Amino acid sequence: MSATNFPPLKNDLILRASRGEKVERVPIWIMRQAGRYLPEFQEVRKHHGFFEICRTPELACQLTLQPIDRYGSLLDASIIFSDILVIPQALGMEVQMVEGRGPVFPEPLVHPKDVARLREHVNVDQELGYVYKAITLTRHKLDGRVPLFGFTGAPWTLMAYMIEGGGSKTLSKAKTWLWKFPEETHELLQRITGVTVEFLVGQVRAGAQMLQIFDSWAGELSPHDFRTYSLPYIKQIATEVKERLARENLEVVPMTIFAKGAWYALADLTNIGYEVVSLDWTIDPEYARHATKDQVVLQGNMDPSVLFAGHDAIRETATRMVQAFGRDGKHIANLGHGILPTVDPEALRTYLETVQRVSAEIRED
Ligand code: 1CP
């Protein structure tokens, strides 16, 4: 299937909002919107392994479309079904998805000498070509209903997984590297950054219309360590991706940074090449506007757990959120982190409906 001649886009609300244009209502999508809370996802998962799905373009496409088919015009974007851990795999590490535990690396990096185990030269297009194929297929199958996000993990978050060997409460092993082996840490982060730039450009070439970088573990770092070990690479990614896209005559797509927990870094995340800064629920919208000097579009940020509290609580919290971000636009609604696996899909519907209704009302006033 060709990465050209895609069907025309019928809903470009999120693209216009990302570029700071005044739009008729707040666009909305949900982090991890294709996932375990959907019975139709569980059904497919019964028959296929997680990474098998990621590597099979037809299956990845099918799962990407599930929330779009279910919620119809209530969603304004789709995100390709994949995982941030495909980059460590492309670097040569084994990652397994273990039932009830999540991702597990059987042989994590223990000491900087283990970095020699990583592939020296990664042919990203070859290793991750299955993601590109899934993106191209999905762009055709979406038939222009909504734009498609490509994504990746930020270098710090990926490095942390590669050292911890999976999820972790303290990240003490990964953090120890920062202070004990700072030079080797920078070398590793730089290698991950190079692969990431290549991967993001490839996703746009394949048809991705926006890009999001997930720094899910940013909030585990002190402000000093975030500025030393995460921010420079996040910045390099945006700069190089945009230069490369322009040079290759590809669309210079809007980019979103989600540095979860890094409320202290909002000013630093402004004007480093990202049009959109995604907020977790601990950040007050007014504070975020002030810290970013109103120079970026803000995304977020309802606490995902509100979706367990019943339809009234969802409506009340969603209304307050839309109002707090204000009537001047520059807001893309989402949750403050990924949707949780035990949420009732109808609770999500109430959230989506409320945001669309309230945001259209306040723009009309
Ligand atoms: O619609 C979508 O958003 C689906 C695509 C998607 C995305 C954007 C998946 C599918 N994973 C991700 C990103 C991702 N993966 C992040 C960044 C976002 C975040 O902070 O939540 C992270 C940290 C991961 C790593 C990961 N993969 C975890 C977290 C483990 C931990 O505790 O640290 C888990 C549980 C996974 C598996 C996974 N990825 C995606 C799904 C649907 C699943 C569940 C797998 C299953 O079926 O068992």
Side-chain angles (χ1 to χ4, degrees):
M1 210 166 267
S2 146
T4 53
N5 295 327
F6 290 124
L9 197 50
K10 297 167 201 154
N11 173 358
D12 66 348
L13 190 65
I14 196 167
L15 298 180
R16 287 185 281 126
S18 301
R19 300 204 152 96
E21 291 177 30
K22 212 163 177 161
V23 286
E24 48 282 20
R25 63 169 175 79
V26 175
I28 183 162
W29 70 284
I30 302 296
M31 286 189 263
R32 307 280 203 112
Q33 65 191 22
R36 285 171 290 179
Y37 73 105
L38 289 178
E40 53 271 37
F41 170 88
Q42 299 289 6
E43 189 50 43
V44 175
R45 247 323 242 123
K46 267 194 226 157
H47 308 286
H48 302 281
F50 176 74
F51 287 113
E52 177 198 347
I53 297 173
C54 295
R55 292 195 184 106
T56 311
E58 291 73 22
L59 290 174
C61 170
Q62 183 188 346
L63 294 199
T64 305
L65 295 179
Q66 284 181 345
I68 307 301
D69 290 338
R70 177 184 273 260
Y71 296 109
S73 61
L74 290 173
L75 281 171
D76 295 303
S78 54
I79 179 161
I80 193 64
F81 190 86
S82 182
D83 198 81
I84 63 168
L85 301 176
V86 298
I87 286 203
Q89 287 177 331
L91 282 161
M93 296 188 79
E94 187 185 342
V95 188
Q96 299 165 351
M97 198 56 72
V98 177
E99 207 59 51
R101 257 184 88 190
V104 173
F105 291 63
E107 292 178 281
L109 304 177
V110 177
H111 184 273
K113 68 174 169 16
D114 296 331
V115 172
R117 283 200 264 122
L118 301 181
R119 269 193 197 108
E120 175 100 47
H121 299 288
V122 182
N123 183 338
V124 179
D125 295 350
Q126 187 179 309
E127 294 300 326
L128 298 173
Y130 62 85
V131 179
Y132 303 164
K133 284 199 182 123
I135 287 175
T136 304
L137 178 63
T138 305
R139 266 297 292 281
H140 284 285
K141 294 269 176 185
L142 273 168
D143 196 25
R145 279 177 283 176
V146 286
L148 177 63
F149 268 91
F151 71 92
T152 185
W156 153 244
T157 290
L158 294 180
M159 170 186 150
Y161 271 106
M162 289 159 72
I163 294 170
E164 296 290 338
S168 155
K169 282 218 163 68
T170 61
L171 297 191
S172 55
K173 292 181 193 143
K175 288 185 187 182
T176 298
W177 273 49
L178 308 181
W179 306 309
K180 217 168 163 182
F181 314 115
E183 253 174 60
E184 291 89 340
T185 293
H186 280 297
E187 272 168 32
L188 177 58
L189 290 167
Q190 193 58 65
R191 274 178 75 168
I192 299 172
T193 300
V195 173
T196 301
V197 168
E198 204 69 47
F199 184 42
L200 290 172
V201 171
Q203 292 188 62
V204 175
R205 204 182 292 121
Q209 292 154 293
M210 280 192 76
L211 295 171
Q212 176 156 319
I213 282 71
F214 290 90
D215 202 358
S216 305
W217 285 347
E220 297 301 315
L221 295 175
S222 71
H224 170 84
D225 290 326
F226 180 78
R227 285 180 190 123
T228 309
Y229 296 105
S230 186
L231 188 65
Y233 300 99
I234 286 173
K235 187 174 172 184
Q236 186 184 342
I237 288 169
T239 308
E240 290 185 7
V241 166
K242 290 194 165 166
E243 278 171 11
R244 285 274 307 273
L245 293 177
R247 215 180 318 137
E248 291 187 33
N249 284 323
L250 291 163
E251 177 89 15
V252 183
V253 303
M255 293 178 71
T256 301
I257 177 69
F258 177 47
K260 183 175 180 291
W263 60 271
Y264 54 79
L266 283 176
D268 295 325
L269 292 168
T270 306
N271 296 326
I272 59 163
Y274 294 87
E275 286 76 4
V276 184
V277 174
S278 195
L279 308 174
D280 65 64
W281 64 94
T282 66
I283 304 175
D284 187 59
E286 210 168 308
Y287 170 78
R289 280 263 183 267
H290 175 76
T292 58
K293 300 197 173 66
D294 210 12
Q295 287 177 6
V296 288
V297 175
L298 298 172
Q299 175 173 277
N301 74 338
M302 189 172 86
D303 186 332
S305 291
V306 176
L307 295 180
F308 296 119
H311 296 279
D312 288 345
I314 296 167
R315 283 190 201 101
E316 192 186 316
T317 315
T319 302
R320 194 169 55 238
M321 174 193 76
V322 172
Q323 288 170 344
F325 278 99
R327 56 178 66 226
D328 295 334
K330 296 206 169 177
H331 178 211
I332 293 168
N334 204 312
L335 296 173
H337 197 191
I339 187 166
L340 294 160
T342 49
V343 163
D344 174 358
E346 285 309 293
L348 177 58
R349 184 183 298 281
T350 297
Y351 180 54
L352 301 174
E353 281 172 352
T354 307
V355 168
Q356 288 210 1
R357 179 175 50 74
V358 174
S359 70
E361 280 166 11
I362 66 169
R363 296 289 154 85
E364 275 168 14
D365 283 351

